[in-house]
Amino acid sequence: MTDLVGKCILVVGATGALGSRLAARLVAAGADVVLTGTDRARLDALDVPGRRFVVDLATQADPAVGLAADAVGGLDGVVVAAGVVAFGPAAQLDAATVAKLFAVNATGPITLISSALPVLAESAVEGREPFVLTMSGVVAESPTAGLAAYSASKSALAAFMAATAREARRGGIRLIDARPGHTETGLASRAIAGSAPAFPAGLDPDAVVERMLAAIVGDEKDLPSTAF
């Protein structure tokens, strides 16, 4: 996929640091984007052209695809940039925190991607080289103490992507999972439980986004932590 001009791409979690940056870069590359997030005011404040829908990935993942496809007449790509984090030892986790981590980081994206595959299959038939990009992060490769449930939720997404990529490639749909290391997005300061430890300086979010965009247009099929 060397050309994004005219491609219709759904960006889920578009109000986050990576989602907003990637959406802007996709538009600059010629794509038409549909933006979703959980906060209408933050969505409206984005300096990115495109249709906007308030969608909670934890509870409304399936309808998001239909809203986006109806808005732009089909889909050629899906980017899942939404995510939540929680800190603390496993012995102190509560059920509500674990449920939220998995709903946003794993089951929501899995439901959304599953519902998107038939729409993306139509794009493939038309020769439009559809793709899905997720961001499970380095914890999917190296589960981290103090981030046990978060690591597990992201590992679940990475495993789903790896298996589904093998199923979908025969139909011309490319699945890419990005696993960058700690990135300076501010997510750690918005944890749903616990407090972040003193992380070393993280990756530049603009550099991470440029690497993901390069993977999209360069027909790459995986972005391990070593790619960043």
Side-chain angles (χ1 to χ4, degrees):
M1 180 183 288
T2 57
D3 187 359
L4 293 180
V5 174
K7 304 291 186 186
C8 300
I9 301 172
L10 167 63
V11 181
V12 180
T15 57
L18 295 180
S20 60
R21 284 171 167 84
L22 186 52
R25 291 293 290 115
L26 291 167
V27 170
D32 297 322
V33 299
V34 177
L35 311 169
T36 78
T38 58
D39 187 293
R40 169 56 67 182
R42 291 179 66 194
L43 270 176
D44 290 343
L46 287 175
D47 187 20
V48 181
R51 297 290 298 275
R52 289 155 162 75
F53 296 100
V54 176
V55 172
D56 184 346
L57 188 58
T59 60
Q60 299 172 297
D62 197 45
V65 172
L67 287 170
D70 289 345
V72 292
L75 283 178
D76 305 306
V78 175
V79 172
V80 181
V84 293
V85 67
F87 299 99
Q92 296 178 10
L93 284 167
D94 62 65
T97 297
V98 174
K100 180 73 170 180
L101 285 169
F102 273 82
V104 177
N105 296 343
T107 55
I110 287 170
T111 299
L112 181 131
I113 293 164
S114 297
S115 65
L117 289 174
V119 182
L120 295 174
E122 295 175 8
S123 172
V125 169
E126 296 171 0
R128 296 176 63 83
E129 302 176 283
F131 72 92
V132 176
L133 173 74
T134 55
M135 307 174 193
S136 67
V138 68
V139 293
E141 298 176 353
S142 301
T144 304
L147 288 162
Y150 176 70
S151 298
S153 67
K154 290 294 193 173
S155 297
L157 176 60
F160 173 82
M161 286 290 287
T164 307
R166 292 193 287 271
E167 297 175 359
R169 65 188 176 193
R170 292 180 182 176
I173 305 171
R174 181 167 49 105
L175 273 66
I176 315 160
D177 183 50
R179 300 184 294 283
H182 171 58
T183 304
E184 296 294 342
T185 63
L187 180 64
S189 67
R190 301 187 297 274
I192 62 173
S195 298
F199 287 117
L203 300 173
D204 177 2
D206 289 319
V208 170
V209 164
E210 287 302 318
R211 184 65 187 88
M212 291 190 290
L213 182 66
I216 291 171
V217 300
D219 288 325
E220 294 183 61
K221 297 177 177 64
D222 192 39
L223 276 177
S225 58
T226 54
F228 294 89

